[in-house]
Amino acid sequence: MPYFTSPVDGARLHYVDYGPADGPVIVFVNSLYFGTGMWEYQMLPLAREGHRCVGFDRRGHGRSDDVWGGFDLDSLADDVQGLLDRLDLSGTTLVGHSLGTAEIVRCLTRHGAGRVARVALIAGMAPGPARSANHPEGVDPELIRAGTEAFRRDRSAFFADGAHAFFALDRPGNELSEAYVESMIRSCHGSTARAGVALGELIAELDVAPELAALDLPVLVVHGTHDTSGPIELTGRRAARLAPNSTLEVYENAGHGLFATHADRLTADLRKFAAGG
């Protein structure tokens, strides 16, 4: 089982490396709570087609080390760069979901784009959903903190109660089996309680708007119209306006979990984007 060592504190972080070693590289950065398994409908078909698809379990997630520290955005971004350096990747398409989008943006801010050719922000939290002096339309940070407190009190109920909205299962076309949804709820328990609380607190203060505006590479923004975790007007559309060389793809009726409900469309969009389209 492959691991690399975090450049931050030596934590062991699990990664997967699918497809041919000489294929065009796509690196996937996960959502909060999930491990690399969330990308099965993207990584496996793209790897079969000849892409080298790489992903890793964030600290405190999946098969990576259970740690107390390193949940600040700088450290998380350094872990992403640590994977790129460990595997000596270049010309990379970086793909992030939810909080993973902010980790990607900060990684580029801190380390530059020497190993990265393009970035895809999928149902992103970037540039940040919370209200601030620079984002008065945002969500009250106290509401985000209340969600984190609900997670802290009973994360089993938090995951189970939130699954319906996460996948927007009330919207037409968003048909997932009950077994799949239950499996995703179980997989969320692969993240530690410490990681969930720390990263929930991070989201309440997240603001990478100036960093997004400074990106000097192609950016694909994919977002659903019914994303309740990262409402499109506060995150996806705003990210597309900020990034100078961006393309926005809006998925009608999609929620936050569009990697499953709109799996084939997302895979096709990533295939085209990774090819320079």
Side-chain angles (χ1 to χ4, degrees), residues 170-239:
D170 60 327
R171 304 303 302 173
N174 295 349
E175 298 174 359
L176 298 173
S177 71
E178 182 177 343
Y180 176 82
V181 174
E182 289 178 354
S183 75
M184 295 304 282
I185 292 171
R186 289 194 301 272
S187 73
C188 287
H189 287 275
S191 62
T192 66
R194 163 61 183 166
V197 170
L199 295 177
E201 292 169 347
L202 173 63
I203 291 171
E205 300 177 354
L206 184 65
D207 182 7
V208 294
E211 297 166 63
L212 261 175
L215 289 185
D216 187 23
L217 72 177
V219 177
L220 173 65
V221 179
V222 174
H223 220 94
T225 57
H226 288 73
D227 190 330
T228 57
S229 299
I232 187 171
E233 297 298 334
L234 305 182
T235 53
R237 292 195 191 278
R238 187 165 165 245

Side-chain angles (χ1 to χ4, degrees), residues 29-39 56-58 61-62 97-98 159 166-167 180-181 183-191 256-257 259:
V29 183
N30 310 331
S31 175
L32 175 58
Y33 311 128
F34 291 109
T36 55
M38 67 168 284
W39 297 109
F56 78 107
D57 292 342
R58 180 188 292 107
H61 289 64
H97 180 271
S98 192
F159 293 142
F166 183 87
F167 292 111
Y180 176 82
V181 174
S183 75
M184 295 304 282
I185 292 171
R186 289 194 301 272
S187 73
C188 287
H189 287 275
S191 62
H256 207 52
F259 56 87

Side-chain angles (χ1 to χ4, degrees), residues 258-269:
L258 53 76
F259 56 87
T261 57
H262 293 65
D264 291 344
R265 180 177 175 183
L266 178 59
T267 300
D269 282 342

Side-chain angles (χ1 to χ4, degrees), residues 15-274:
Y15 72 92
V16 296
D17 190 350
Y18 297 155
D22 59 351
V25 181
I26 308 177
V27 172
F28 294 83
V29 183
N30 310 331
S31 175
L32 175 58
Y33 311 128
F34 291 109
T36 55
M38 67 168 284
W39 297 109
E40 65 177 298
Y41 299 128
Q42 288 74 48
M43 293 183 78
L44 299 184
L46 290 169
R48 282 196 298 267
E49 294 166 12
H51 292 85
R52 183 179 182 183
C53 293
V54 177
F56 78 107
D57 292 342
R58 180 188 292 107
R59 56 181 54 235
H61 289 64
R63 287 165 284 187
S64 290
D65 279 355
D66 179 1
V67 294
W68 178 259
F71 293 106
D72 60 286
L73 192 56
D74 284 353
S75 295
L76 297 169
D78 290 352
D79 285 345
V80 176
Q81 185 66 31
L83 176 65
L84 301 180
D85 291 342
R86 168 67 177 79
L87 298 180
D88 193 22
L89 303 177
S90 61
T92 302
T93 300
L94 267 181
V95 180
H97 180 271
S98 192
L99 179 61
T101 62
E103 291 166 84
I104 284 173
V105 172
R106 181 60 56 85
C107 178
L108 293 169
T109 300
R110 285 174 64 78
H111 300 283
R115 295 188 178 277
V116 180
R118 60 193 65 84
V119 169
L121 310 178
I122 312 302
M125 285 294 175
R131 182 186 305 158
S132 67
N134 297 323
H135 186 214
E137 303 85 5
V139 177
D140 184 346
E142 291 307 315
L143 291 178
I144 299 174
R145 295 187 180 103
T148 301
E149 177 60 18
F151 168 90
R152 188 196 63 77
R153 287 196 308 270
D154 188 344
R155 63 190 180 119
S156 295
F158 179 88
F159 293 142
D161 295 345
H164 192 274
F166 183 87
F167 292 111
L169 295 178
D170 60 327
R171 304 303 302 173
N174 295 349
E175 298 174 359
L176 298 173
S177 71
E178 182 177 343
Y180 176 82
V181 174
E182 289 178 354
S183 75
M184 295 304 282
I185 292 171
R186 289 194 301 272
S187 73
C188 287
H189 287 275
S191 62
T192 66
R194 163 61 183 166
V197 170
L199 295 177
E201 292 169 347
L202 173 63
I203 291 171
E205 300 177 354
L206 184 65
D207 182 7
V208 294
E211 297 166 63
L212 261 175
L215 289 185
D216 187 23
L217 72 177
V219 177
L220 173 65
V221 179
V222 174
H223 220 94
T225 57
H226 288 73
D227 190 330
T228 57
S229 299
I232 187 171
E233 297 298 334
L234 305 182
T235 53
R237 292 195 191 278
R238 187 165 165 245
R241 289 195 300 269
L242 285 164
N245 186 12
S246 68
T247 300
L248 174 63
E249 292 287 344
V250 176
Y251 288 15
E252 191 66 33
N253 292 317
H256 207 52
L258 53 76
F259 56 87
T261 57
H262 293 65
D264 291 344
R265 180 177 175 183
L266 178 59
T267 300
D269 282 342
L270 291 177
R271 180 187 299 114
K272 179 180 177 181
F273 183 59

